[in-house]
Amino acid sequence: MFSAAPPIHHASHPGPSPSAARQPAAQLFVPDLHDYPVARLTPLRRAIAARQYVELDYCRADGALSRRRVRPLGLFFWGVSWTLAAWCEARDEFRNFRIDRMLACTPQTDTFTPQAGRTLEDFFRAVGASQPPAGG
């Protein structure tokens, strides 16, 4: 389901320079095709990388509001919408949160340590999906 091919470099397009390859991917560019809260992706990506808890004010599909404290694990794009896969502390299980339903998204100062049964790899097993390649 999730796969990545190694980059192909052509002579006319040599690809990134070695120094550019060592720089972290700090920018994310999304076409302006939808009225979509792209600004939420950057703090979520940083929280995932730093293993910071995130507090969400969230509007469910039925309109009910909730506040969640989550361990963010990964961001997924589904062609029309983005979701955050996370371990939800309140529900004590994996949950997916649509980015466009987040009313507020606040990375916390405290961090979490990966715990068996609550990692991205465990999430993939729980949903029966193949895992992306290491580092992907």
Side-chain angles (χ1 to χ4, degrees), residues 19-65:
S19 62
R22 288 191 297 266
Q23 296 176 0
Q27 299 295 324
L28 179 66
F29 300 95
V30 178
D32 191 16
L33 302 175
H34 306 284
D35 182 20
Y36 207 79
V38 176
R40 294 220 193 282
L41 297 175
T42 298
L44 286 170
R45 291 175 70 215
R46 288 182 181 145
I48 291 165
R51 294 187 177 130
Q52 290 174 283
Y53 284 99
V54 172
E55 188 170 289
L56 301 176
D57 288 335
Y58 192 73
C59 181
R60 297 186 335 204
D62 65 4
L65 302 178

Side-chain angles (χ1 to χ4, degrees), residues 80-98:
V80 179
S81 63
W82 285 86
T83 59
L84 171 70
W87 179 264
C88 179
E89 298 291 314
R91 302 286 189 223
D92 202 32
E93 64 184 4
F94 294 110
R95 291 294 175 122
N96 285 297
F97 298 94
R98 282 185 47 164

Side-chain angles (χ1 to χ4, degrees), residues 96-117:
N96 285 297
F97 298 94
R98 282 185 47 164
I99 306 302
D100 59 338
R101 290 191 186 149
M102 293 178 185
L103 305 175
C105 165
T106 310
Q108 305 296 292
T109 56
D110 56 329
T111 60
F112 59 90
T113 302
Q115 184 178 353

